[in-house]
Amino acid sequence: MIDIMKIVIGGVLVNNFIMSKFLGICPFLGVSKKSGTAFGMGMAVTFVMTIASFFTWLIEHYILIPLGLNAFMQTIAFILVIASLVQIVELVLKKLSRSLYQALGVYLPLITTNCAVLGVALLNSTEGYTLVQSVVNGFGSAIGFTLAIVLFAFIRERLATSNMPKWMEGFPGALIAAGLMSLAFQGFSGLI
């Protein structure tokens, strides 16, 4: 149980994919103008990361390793799993929440190439996690992604209504805020 808690805390705070590993920056900067859209993206990524962690572990341990294809086909197999899951998320959002689907726009299909999603699948493999640890790591990392993108969206919403110097309005101010957030997350590095 302690190992599971370490994995969750590590994924959410200590080894946050956006703030510590700098993976998944494209949706972090692109979808974080409004907190509702950022939360929707975070939930979509949470679903894909968690389920992808489950399926990639199964594919690796029951197909790739027994056939001796792990070294050659691992990345391709993982990307196919992720792409399939993103298609499912896209279809569900299009059917259930048309407004969120339109707000996410091009960033929804880009979850397929989101390096944070592929990164967690590859990290599970290199760390030698069990099935449960892989799923927990995928979920914890996705919650960390969601936390970072939603906090950043709140900051950007506040910056948009603030009286700031002209040179800091818009994207420059957002990049400075992202850098400061990254520094704040580095404070968690000694937690585990």
Side-chain angles (χ1 to χ4, degrees), residues 85-163:
L85 291 171
V86 169
Q87 287 298 313
I88 292 168
V89 168
E90 193 170 1
L91 290 172
V92 168
L93 281 180
K94 193 173 188 179
K95 196 77 160 166
L96 298 179
S97 180
R98 191 77 143 148
S99 61
L100 180 59
Y101 173 77
Q102 290 173 343
L104 292 175
V106 71
Y107 294 101
L108 185 59
L110 285 178
I111 295 175
T112 302
T113 58
N114 185 340
C115 50
V117 179
L118 180 59
V120 78
L122 293 172
L123 182 69
N124 291 337
S125 176
T126 58
E127 292 292 324
Y129 286 152
T130 65
L131 177 61
V132 172
Q133 289 173 328
S134 292
V135 172
V136 167
N137 185 46
F139 181 73
S141 297
I143 294 300
F145 179 92
T146 304
L147 175 69
I149 197 170
V150 169
L151 286 175
F152 190 56
F154 287 142
I155 291 170
R156 286 185 78 174
E157 286 176 350
R158 179 69 184 211
L159 287 174
T161 61
S162 298
N163 188 12

Side-chain angles (χ1 to χ4, degrees), residues 46-62 78 81-82 85 117 120-122 124-125 129-139:
T46 299
F47 174 78
V48 171
M49 259 193 201
T50 305
I51 303 302
S53 294
F54 177 77
F55 283 113
T56 55
W57 191 93
L58 290 176
I59 288 170
E60 179 179 32
H61 286 85
Y62 290 110
F78 288 3
V81 168
I82 293 165
L85 291 171
V117 179
V120 78
L122 293 172
N124 291 337
S125 176
Y129 286 152
T130 65
L131 177 61
V132 172
Q133 289 173 328
S134 292
V135 172
V136 167
N137 185 46
F139 181 73

